[in-house]
Amino acid sequence: MEFKQKYCKSWQILKLFSISKATFYRFQNEWISQGNDPALMGKVILGPRLVVWDPVIFVNWLQEHKANKKVKYDYELQDKVIAIQTLKKIKQ
């Protein structure tokens, strides 16, 4: 999958992937609370106030950790549906 830019700002990721701000930050918070590094989601910190995202890494993370995840609870199913819908939009 190719993107026009190597890195995107957070608002560009939201627009590019059609994810709500609340869902995007909830995904990050869940990932971090599990003890994982947000860099594995594609987050790149370039300075004290500059954060960008690698969209390729984010797509791979979304597919691996949300779309292909076995669900146990209703809220996990909702996240899986959001991830699958997002991935379908990107492929179009």
Side-chain angles (χ1 to χ4, degrees), residues 10-27:
S10 296
W11 68 268
Q12 292 171 313
I13 287 287
L14 297 175
K15 186 176 179 182
L16 184 66
F17 294 102
S18 299
I19 296 178
S20 74
K21 191 174 187 179
T23 299
F24 181 65
Y25 287 109
R26 184 169 43 80
F27 285 174

Side-chain angles (χ1 to χ4, degrees), residues 16-43:
L16 184 66
F17 294 102
S18 299
I19 296 178
S20 74
K21 191 174 187 179
T23 299
F24 181 65
Y25 287 109
R26 184 169 43 80
F27 285 174
Q28 287 182 67
N29 289 334
E30 288 173 358
W31 185 247
I32 292 168
S33 70
Q34 294 170 2
N36 296 304
D37 185 354
L40 298 173
M41 294 177 72
K43 187 175 186 177

